[in-house]
Amino acid sequence: MIKYVIKRLALSVLILFGVSIIIYGLVRIKPGLDFIQTKFYAQMQLDSTGEVALMVEEQRELYGLTAPVFEGYLVWLNHILHGEWGNSFIFSVSTGEVEYLVDDQGNPVLDSEGNQLTKPISSSNVLDIIKDKSRISFIIALIATILQFAIAIPLGITSATKQYGVVDYSVTVLAMMGISLPSFFFGALLLRIFSIQLGWFPYAGLTDPNSGLPVFIDNLHHLVLPITVLVILSIGGLMRYTRTNMLEVLNADYIRTARAKGLSEHKVIYKHAFRNTLIPLVTIFAGILPGLFGGALITETIFSIDGIGQAAYRAVTQGDIPFVMAYNLFLSVLTVIGTLLSDLMYAVVDPRVKLVGGKK
Amino acid sequence: MSEFEKEVKEEKELNVLEEAKSELYEEVSLSDSAKVVSPGRMVLRRFFRSKLSLVGLVTLFIMFAFSFIGPLLSPWGEVEMTGDYKWVTSILPHQIVVTEFNEETGMDEQVTYIFFEVSDPYKVYSKTLPSWEHIFGTDQYGYDVFTRLMYGGRVSLLLGFMVIFAEVIVGLFFGSLSGYFGGWVDMVIMRVVDVFNCLPGLPILMLAAAVIDSWGVPARVRIYYLMAILTFFGWAGIARLVRGQILGIRELEYMLAAEATGLSTRRKIFKHIIPNVMPQIIVQATLGLGGIILTESTLSYLGLGVPFPYSAWGTMISSTSGAAGRDILQNYPAIWVPAGVCIVLAVLAFNFIGDGLRDAFDPKMRR
């Protein structure tokens, strides 16, 4: 087991190396001025003190842009490994800490009541921003994922046990619709019908000071439409997956045995068949993890939710390359961890999987 | 009985025997009692038996006709402004400060002059509601929506087919290398495939598209870059599929036979392995086509795909986004709803056909 885990871990690290090479390479293939020079070009022209130029050089140093590609990659990787992921051009968040203000002589600045004045420290470190923005995205994704499982698995089982029935056909077609619907179109449709036409749900954002509802209820009210989009769009795949696995299990010999023993159909399906379909479902964990923390890019953008997905969209459209790089890397790390977890879970759940480090 | 008569009789008997024999053969012969059906025929028959795949095929056929023949019949062009317009003149105020000699006071004074620069009248097009002339009305630039729908279909369908074709070629190449040779070749290629599988789909495409944006390539050429990006980030799945299939095929008896007859490696790969992998690849490619159309339209929606003024279904829906799009979202559904319906129909059609093909190629795998 330990050998297997170590092997998988080593492989994950290797994959992350590859991912980082691709991401860095993408940023570096741009000819001419690099992204930091482009960003601060106008400021550098206006600035006479040379401060901006100094800052730009510092920034370029961080990304290894002053060196040739390969060396630059190593420099950048070194910084990444040390947790210096760079600063976003457009975002900043308050870290929650405060800085005590002092005057020129170092004496504390006091207000009329004798308290020392403070200034909140804001940070545009991409890691801080990812941490801050992914909170709301996580909440949304968590609710959506729970709902998705709660709806998709029973439907998938029903459609497998009553194959070629009415439920089965409607589930198949609905699942297909879910897979084929683009999120931006579905989101726009929901907004048009339920928000503009019927006025049941708010148009955008997370809170509405005029709603008069308690904050929590108000937030939930705002989240109904985005969560609907997420659930409907992802439910199809899961439903089909459950159905396929269930059908496979239902054809197995031990189900025939269970039926031959005279067990009730309910027992056969939920005790003997369903438990075995759970094994392949474990592999889905690989996909859930990035989905949980990585945000929903399009959905958040449509419904103007200030999560990490919308941040990524704004970063791309406004040329905030540091944030986009960090976001991609962050998602890749999540994917790798998810895959690793699902492999390990698979081994734990299914005793038939042998944990040998050798070839398959 | 003369000799002659005897001969004739014998001949007759022989003929009877022959006839009986041929009758017997007629009854037994498989080729006459049952029609010989080639595997391809069987696949086709199974494919057409499924209603959903037929629906998909017909939908796709209509889409192709709509987007490739439609523009020839449409009275409007892709970037032809039409519909309602107003004549507008723009008025630009200018202000200059001049130092002038004031005769009354006898001193130099600062005098401010304001003058207005009035332009020649020009046309400003606005959105129009559907009419017989413009079936879905015109959009905010004065383009006919129905015609742009056709051109958008051209882009989506063509781009989808080109990308999937390129992906299959690249995937086949690396997948068969990996599966056939095994060893370190397999090791290296599969690790690269792993890397591509761990890249986040949409965000990395957005990053790549944004980088290409910054190169400032002309709009027409952008589409080819888009294809290259989609292929670059999409081939890994097919490579993995091909490799898995080949690993299975390599162990089969007919490969042993091919080995024994001393065929060259190339012949073994191209004549014996690839034709047997093709069914799975065709299924995967058909299902993948829907995915590519979705990705392309998403990128276009985000403004990173097919560039303006060329039309794409995703771009048409993106006119609803933001504060400026509120009016279109609310009052002009004819501008964006048809585009969304087109995307859904195209993707659904490919998914139905892919599912039908899968069932047809391998009836055992019937879900």
Side-chain angles (χ1 to χ4, degrees):
Chain A
M1 179 78 183
I2 291 173
K3 201 176 158 197
Y4 177 77
V5 173
I6 291 176
K7 197 184 165 210
R8 296 291 323 178
L9 271 176
L11 206 61
S12 305
V13 172
L14 197 72
I15 289 171
L16 281 180
F17 263 114
V19 168
S20 66
I21 288 175
I22 288 180
I23 292 175
Y24 190 76
L26 265 182
V27 173
R28 281 301 295 260
I29 53 173
K30 186 186 170 212
L33 297 178
D34 58 58
F35 64 92
I36 292 173
Q37 285 170 324
T38 321
K39 173 76 191 169
F40 294 106
Y41 187 76
Q43 286 184 34
M44 263 166 77
Q45 300 303 311
L46 292 172
D47 176 62
S48 53
T49 56
E51 266 176 41
V52 174
L54 210 68
M55 191 268 288
V56 165
E57 280 311 300
E58 217 169 84
Q59 289 266 323
R60 294 184 68 213
E61 202 72 50
L62 180 68
Y63 291 93
L65 295 173
T66 46
V69 179
F70 184 65
E71 280 171 49
Y73 169 71
L74 292 181
V75 171
W76 174 71
L77 190 68
N78 190 28
H79 284 123
I80 289 285
L81 292 179
H82 284 89
E84 293 170 38
W85 286 39
N87 290 327
S88 162
F89 291 157
I90 56 175
F91 301 112
S92 67
V93 291
S94 125
T95 51
E97 292 166 21
V98 287
E99 179 191 349
Y100 289 98
L101 291 180
V102 289
D103 59 14
D104 297 338
Q105 278 88 43
N107 299 322
V109 182
L110 304 175
D111 65 3
S112 53
E113 285 160 27
N115 299 318
Q116 187 171 7
L117 284 179
T118 56
K119 189 176 89 182
I121 300 175
S122 70
S123 156
S124 53
N125 186 324
V126 285
L127 283 178
D128 288 337
I129 290 158
I130 287 177
K131 204 161 68 186
D132 184 70
K133 301 254 181 203
S134 60
R135 202 168 302 138
I136 180 69
S137 299
F138 174 72
I139 295 171
I140 296 175
L142 189 68
I143 301 175
T145 310
I146 292 172
L147 278 179
Q148 180 198 333
F149 273 81
I151 297 172
I153 289 183
L155 274 183
I157 291 176
T158 321
S159 97
T161 47
K162 301 201 172 71
Q163 201 183 1
Y164 304 127
V166 183
V167 179
D168 186 29
Y169 265 110
S170 26
V171 162
T172 312
V173 173
L174 274 179
M176 278 286 202
M177 291 289 270
I179 296 171
S180 313
L181 262 177
S183 51
F184 51 91
F185 177 57
F186 189 48
L189 267 185
L190 287 187
L191 270 183
R192 172 71 178 78
I193 297 171
F194 292 104
S195 177
I196 295 178
Q197 184 116 32
L198 301 172
W200 290 355
F201 298 106
Y203 183 67
L206 261 183
T207 49
D208 180 7
N210 303 324
S211 68
L213 295 165
V215 178
F216 180 67
I217 306 283
D218 188 33
N219 285 351
L220 276 187
H221 190 212
H222 277 82
L223 287 181
V224 170
L225 289 185
I227 288 178
T228 311
V229 170
L230 289 179
V231 170
I232 299 271
L233 292 193
S234 49
I235 211 173
L238 190 59
M239 222 146 54
R240 272 165 66 108
Y241 198 74
T242 317
R243 181 177 178 274
T244 316
N245 288 326
M246 193 71 187
L247 278 181
E248 215 159 86
V249 170
L250 282 178
N251 286 329
D253 288 339
Y254 56 82
I255 296 298
R256 201 178 305 140
T257 314
R259 287 210 174 106
K261 280 197 300 184
L263 291 181
S264 70
E265 191 62 21
H266 185 270
K267 221 171 192 177
V268 170
I269 287 168
Y270 288 96
K271 254 201 142 157
H272 292 246
F274 176 60
R275 286 193 178 181
N276 279 294
T277 59
L278 282 179
I279 296 172
L281 277 180
V282 164
T283 48
I284 287 192
F285 270 96
I288 286 181
L289 203 63
L292 273 183
F293 294 94
L297 216 145
I298 309 283
T299 312
E300 283 176 17
T301 310
I302 295 175
F303 293 98
S304 327
I305 294 165
D306 190 20
I308 193 167
Q310 199 197 19
Y313 169 68
R314 282 176 54 201
V316 170
T317 50
Q318 298 177 26
D320 184 5
I321 302 287
F323 184 81
V324 180
M325 279 172 91
Y327 180 64
N328 273 299
L329 209 55
F330 172 65
L331 282 187
S332 309
V333 171
L334 287 178
T335 312
V336 169
I337 295 176
T339 317
L340 187 70
L341 278 182
S342 96
D343 278 0
L344 295 182
M345 289 274 283
Y346 207 92
V348 172
V349 174
D350 191 350
R352 287 168 297 183
V353 175
K354 281 192 186 134
L355 299 180
V356 188
K359 281 179 189 169
K360 281 175 195 169
Chain B
M1 208 190 273
S2 68
E3 287 275 15
F4 176 69
E5 273 175 342
K6 207 175 171 186
E7 247 185 48
V8 169
K9 206 180 164 196
E10 266 178 15
E11 216 173 42
K12 269 190 181 167
E13 272 174 7
L14 214 78
N15 277 348
V16 170
L17 215 74
E18 282 287 14
E19 266 171 38
K21 220 174 168 184
S22 69
E23 254 171 50
L24 200 76
Y25 273 125
E26 243 172 41
E27 254 173 55
V28 170
S29 164
L30 196 67
S31 60
D32 288 334
S33 66
K35 241 171 73 198
V36 174
V37 187
S38 71
R41 266 253 150 99
M42 264 157 73
V43 167
L44 276 185
R45 191 189 287 171
R46 279 198 296 260
F47 178 76
F48 284 114
R49 204 185 290 151
S50 147
K51 276 187 209 101
L52 283 185
S53 41
L54 260 183
V55 169
L57 209 62
V58 171
T59 313
L60 202 64
F61 191 74
I62 295 172
M63 292 231 110
F64 261 95
F66 174 70
S67 43
F68 285 90
I69 301 172
L72 306 177
L73 307 174
S74 162
W76 318 109
E78 184 179 12
V79 287
E80 184 185 343
M81 293 191 198
T82 162
D84 289 358
Y85 58 85
K86 283 180 286 196
W87 287 99
V88 174
T89 51
S90 69
I91 299 171
L92 205 65
H94 289 274
Q95 182 176 351
I96 51 167
V97 182
V98 187
T99 314
E100 266 185 13
F101 180 71
N102 191 326
E103 286 177 4
E104 283 176 27
T105 54
M107 285 163 69
D108 282 346
E109 275 180 8
Q110 301 254 323
V111 182
T112 307
Y113 286 94
I114 294 175
F115 65 93
F116 296 94
E117 189 186 330
V118 180
S119 73
D120 287 338
Y122 57 90
K123 287 178 184 172
V124 167
Y125 290 89
S126 62
K127 305 170 281 254
T128 46
L129 288 168
S131 61
W132 281 113
E133 201 182 353
H134 302 287
I135 295 173
F136 289 131
T138 59
D139 65 9
Q140 68 271 38
Y141 307 105
Y143 301 142
D144 179 55
V145 174
F146 194 64
T147 310
R148 300 224 356 130
L149 220 50
M150 298 171 184
Y151 282 97
R154 263 188 193 189
V155 169
S156 282
L157 292 173
L158 264 188
L159 188 132
F161 272 101
M162 303 274 264
V163 169
I164 206 71
F165 189 68
E167 272 183 18
V168 164
I169 293 206
V170 178
L172 253 183
F173 178 73
F174 285 110
S176 42
L177 271 188
S178 181
Y180 186 81
F181 291 108
W184 67 268
V185 180
D186 182 35
M187 229 342 246
V188 172
I189 294 179
M190 276 306 113
R191 291 299 82 78
V192 174
V193 166
D194 281 343
V195 167
F196 275 91
N197 275 335
C198 279
L199 284 172
L202 193 57
I204 197 90
L205 284 173
M206 284 170 71
L207 176 60
V211 166
I212 280 171
D213 236 9
S214 68
W215 292 358
V217 289
R220 245 318 162 212
V221 188
R222 264 279 293 285
I223 297 171
Y224 299 107
Y225 281 96
L226 192 65
M227 286 183 196
I229 298 174
L230 286 171
T231 311
F232 182 72
F233 289 108
W235 61 274
I238 289 183
R240 168 164 288 182
L241 175 88
V242 171
R243 177 207 179 236
Q245 291 290 323
I246 288 182
L247 282 186
I249 288 175
R250 219 170 47 163
E251 307 299 321
L252 294 179
E253 279 88 353
Y254 69 80
M255 282 316 292
L256 199 68
E259 188 88 35
T261 43
L263 295 183
S264 67
T265 308
R266 212 172 114 190
R267 209 180 147 85
K268 269 189 290 188
I269 292 183
F270 284 101
K271 279 264 167 182
H272 295 269
I273 293 184
I274 290 190
N276 282 298
V277 189
M278 252 4 233
Q280 274 76 19
I281 295 180
I282 292 174
V283 170
Q284 187 79 7
T286 319
L287 293 174
L289 255 168
I292 290 171
I293 290 179
L294 266 185
T295 315
E296 176 269 321
S297 51
T298 308
L299 283 176
S300 295
Y301 173 80
L302 295 172
L304 295 164
V306 180
F308 189 79
Y310 299 109
S311 130
W313 291 337
T315 323
M316 296 170 88
I317 300 179
S318 77
S319 61
T320 62
S321 64
R326 175 87 192 241
D327 182 36
I328 293 178
L329 185 66
Q330 188 165 352
N331 301 322
Y332 295 90
I335 293 180
W336 57 278
V337 174
V341 172
C342 278
I343 298 175
V344 175
L345 281 183
V347 179
L348 261 184
F350 282 120
N351 279 341
F352 281 153
I353 294 174
D355 267 12
L357 279 177
R358 177 167 48 203
D359 291 347
F361 277 129
D362 192 354
K364 274 184 297 180
M365 281 294 286
R366 209 179 154 85
R367 301 149 301 119

